[in-house]
Amino acid sequence: MSDSNTTDFTNPSTFILLGIPGMEKVHVWISIPFCTMYTIAVLGNFTILLIVKREPSLHGPMYQFLCMLDVTDLVLSTSTLPKTLGIYWFNSREIDFSACLTQMYFIHCFSVMESGILVAMALDRYVAICDPLRHSSILTNPVVAKIGLAVVLRGGLLILPYPFLARRWPYCRTNIILHTHCEHMAVVKLACTDIRISSYYSLSVALSVTFLDIFFIVVSYSQILRVIFSLPTKDARLKTFGTCGSHLCVILAFHIPRLFSFLTHRFGQNVPLHFQILIANVYLLVPPMLNPIIYGVRTKQIRERLLWLFTHKRT
C-alpha cells in the first residue's frame, strides 16, 4: 500500500492541514484562547461598524477609514480561524485545493490592504493636525473613496500572482501542509519544482509593502510631531498627540507581530516550527481583536456612543 505522504500526483484535489505539529494533544486547549480572541474580534468590529453607521457625527474620514479597517479585520480573521477551529475540535484537516488557494489569496491580500489602510489613517491624522482648516476640503468623501479603492486594488493586484503561480507548480511529494492554514510559502514549498519565482516575488512584495508603508507612516508622524512640539502649552501638546494615540497603538499591534512572523518564517530556521505557526496565528488574530478595543477605549466619541447604547437599552 502506498504511503499518503509519497503518493505521486500532479495537482492534488485536497491538502491536509496538520495544525500545529507536535502539539496535537493540546489542540483543544489552544483552541480556547483562539476562539475567545475571534469572538472578541467579531463582536468588537461589528460594534464599531454599527456605532459609526448609526451616529452621523462619526461619518468623517477618520471613522470611514476605521470602518475599512474593521471590515478588513473581519475578513482576515474569518478567512483562517473557522478552519483552524475545525482542525482543533473535529480533526477536520482536509481542504480542497482551490479552497486552499482562495484562503491563501484572502490572507495575504487583506494583510496588504490593512497595511495600506493604516497609511491612509496616518494621512488623515497628518492633514487633521498639520492643516486642520483644510481637512474637510482635502479629505472629502470622493477622495476617501478613491483612497479606499486604491488600497483594495493594490492588495488585490499585488497578491493575484500568488495563487496563479501556486496552481502552476506540480505537487508530487506530499499534500500535507505543516500549518493551520494555507500560508503561501507553506504551500509552495510542497512543490517538486523550482519555486524561486514564487519565493522571490512574495519576498519582494512583503518587503516593499512593509517598508514603504512604514516609511510613509514615519514621514507623516515626523511632520505631526514637529507641529505638536511647536504648540505653546503642554496641555495642547498632550491633547493633540492624544488624537494620534489610538492609531499608533493599532500600527504597533499590526506591524510588530507581522514583522516577527515574517522574519521567523523566512529566516528562523532554528526557531521551532510550532512557535512559528503560533506566531502566524497570533498575527492574524491579535490585531483584529485589539483594534476595536483600542479605538473603543481611546476614542471619546465611540466610547460615549457605546455607553449610550448600553444605557439606552437598559432604559
Side-chain angles (χ1 to χ4, degrees):
M1 182 179 295
S2 62
D3 191 343
S4 62
N5 288 6
T6 59
T7 302
D8 290 336
F9 44 80
T10 303
N11 276 327
S13 59
T14 60
F15 281 119
I16 307 297
L17 293 165
L18 281 193
I20 306 178
M23 302 186 70
E24 290 83 359
K25 293 183 179 179
V26 293
H27 271 176
V28 174
W29 296 106
I30 295 173
S31 71
I32 295 173
F34 279 21
C35 185
T36 302
M37 286 190 287
Y38 180 64
T39 302
I40 294 171
V42 171
L43 293 177
N45 285 292
F46 270 119
T47 300
I48 297 293
L49 288 171
L50 177 64
I51 289 173
V52 174
K53 183 175 184 286
R54 294 184 59 176
E55 181 55 53
S57 65
L58 300 181
H59 290 178
M62 173 183 172
Y63 300 102
Q64 290 171 338
F65 289 133
L66 178 58
C67 288
M68 296 179 196
L69 185 69
D70 290 335
V71 172
T72 304
D73 281 337
L74 286 170
V75 175
L76 193 59
S77 56
T78 303
S79 64
T80 58
L81 197 76
K83 182 59 183 178
T84 300
L85 293 179
I87 296 170
Y88 293 161
W89 292 345
F90 310 112
N91 203 31
S92 176
R93 300 173 184 269
E94 288 193 1
I95 183 169
D96 182 77
F97 182 74
S98 296
C100 183
L101 297 185
T102 301
Q103 185 188 59
M104 174 202 300
Y105 179 77
F106 271 77
I107 292 169
H108 295 282
C109 175
F110 279 85
S111 293
V112 173
M113 286 185 197
E114 180 149 351
S115 184
I117 292 169
L118 293 177
V119 175
M121 296 174 83
L123 173 65
D124 170 69
R125 292 299 83 204
Y126 165 76
V127 177
I129 293 174
C130 298
D131 199 356
L133 297 179
R134 298 178 58 204
H135 181 256
S136 58
S137 62
I138 294 174
L139 289 176
T140 60
N141 287 337
V143 170
V144 171
K146 289 176 183 177
I147 293 174
L149 180 61
V151 167
V152 171
L153 289 176
R154 186 186 73 152
L157 294 177
L158 281 178
I159 304 301
L160 197 58
Y162 281 29
F164 279 102
L165 288 172
R167 186 178 287 276
R168 288 184 55 198
W169 307 139
Y171 298 89
C172 55
R173 295 195 186 107
T174 180
N175 64 339
I176 296 177
I177 301 173
L178 303 177
H179 217 298
T180 57
H181 54 265
C182 294
E183 199 277 333
H184 177 245
M185 288 307 299
V187 173
V188 299
K189 281 180 179 178
L190 303 182
C192 52
T193 187
D194 187 353
I195 60 165
R196 281 182 294 181
I197 296 175
S198 286
S199 181
Y200 290 159
Y201 180 75
S202 63
L203 180 62
S204 63
V205 168
L207 290 177
S208 61
V209 167
T210 300
F211 289 109
L212 276 176
D213 288 357
I214 290 176
F215 171 76
F216 288 129
I217 290 171
V218 169
V219 169
S220 297
Y221 272 95
S222 65
Q223 297 301 310
I224 289 170
L225 290 174
R226 181 180 61 82
V227 171
I228 288 175
F229 287 127
S230 67
L231 294 174
T233 64
K234 182 179 179 181
D235 288 342
R237 289 194 291 269
L238 290 175
K239 183 177 180 181
T240 305
F241 187 75
T243 64
C244 303
S246 301
H247 183 234
L248 286 172
C249 292
V250 168
I251 289 171
L252 294 175
F254 177 75
H255 279 294
I256 289 176
R258 185 185 188 207
L259 283 171
F260 195 74
S261 175
F262 171 78
L263 292 174
T264 55
H265 194 76
R266 286 277 181 173
F267 309 109
Q269 288 81 6
N270 297 325
V271 179
L273 179 61
H274 66 271
F275 185 74
Q276 294 183 35
I277 297 172
L278 282 171
I279 291 298
N281 281 271
V282 165
Y283 150 60
L284 293 173
L285 277 175
V286 169
M289 177 192 70
L290 287 181
N291 291 348
I293 295 175
I294 291 169
Y295 272 96
V297 170
R298 295 187 61 88
T299 306
K300 182 180 178 182
Q301 295 91 328
I302 293 178
R303 185 172 65 248
E304 290 178 348
R305 186 62 180 174
L306 186 61
L307 292 172
W308 183 88
L309 284 175
F310 281 115
T311 55
H312 184 68
K313 285 182 179 180
R314 292 197 189 102
T315 304

